[in-house]
Amino acid sequence: MEMEKIVVFGFVGAFLSLLLKRENPQMALLTALATGVLIFLWICAPLQELLQLLEQMAEQAGVTEGYFGIVLKVIGIAYLSQFGSQLCMDAGESAVAAKIELAGKVMMMMVSAPVLLELLDVVLHLV
């Protein structure tokens, strides 16, 4: 039921943006951006519930808290960089969008570096 509301809200925002585009392009852009941000805020509560569920599952499985935190950070960076990139694309700023995507990829590598170093250490000790 919640997804239908989000889709309808998105369609209404997109429709309003299209109507305004010819007469007032700035308002059309603001409408599209506001719609995207509001949808993002709308999903924050279910996302919080999902994170709590994943943390419980990781505890039950005995997954190290450090590694689980890293995975969550990487997922968060991926979603945020994609969201920011799409907002910039909607605004017609594809160059900025590309830089946000690049920054997201670099940040994901930086956050996951401890896992990669641990993996390299394990491989080197096997040889």
Side-chain angles (χ1 to χ4, degrees):
M1 185 67 172
E2 195 72 19
M3 190 62 212
E4 291 89 359
K5 291 178 186 177
I6 293 171
V7 170
V8 168
F9 183 78
F11 282 151
V12 169
F15 182 71
L16 288 174
S17 180
L18 285 174
L19 286 177
L20 290 170
K21 191 172 273 189
R22 214 175 297 158
E23 300 296 322
N24 194 344
Q26 294 86 3
M27 282 303 287
L29 176 61
L30 286 175
T31 301
L33 292 176
T35 301
V37 169
L38 289 172
I39 289 173
F40 180 76
L41 293 174
W42 198 338
I43 64 170
C44 283
L47 183 60
Q48 183 68 25
E49 291 176 28
L50 176 64
L51 289 176
Q52 289 173 350
L53 177 66
L54 290 174
E55 286 175 353
Q56 290 173 355
M57 291 173 62
E59 278 181 31
Q60 290 175 352
V63 175
T64 306
E65 191 173 310
Y67 291 132
F68 183 70
I70 289 171
V71 169
L72 288 181
K73 286 178 187 176
V74 168
I75 291 169
I77 291 168
Y79 280 132
L80 286 174
S81 62
Q82 181 183 13
F83 180 72
S85 173
Q86 288 173 348
L87 284 178
C88 289
M89 290 265 207
D90 289 346
E93 295 294 332
S94 59
V96 176
K99 302 316 179 277
I100 289 174
E101 289 177 3
L102 176 63
K105 291 172 185 173
V106 170
M107 294 301 292
M108 284 187 281
M109 285 298 295
M110 194 171 87
V111 168
S112 64
V115 176
L116 295 173
L117 291 174
E118 184 70 27
L119 179 63
L120 181 61
D121 188 49
V122 168
V123 169
L124 289 176
H125 281 91
L126 290 175
V127 176

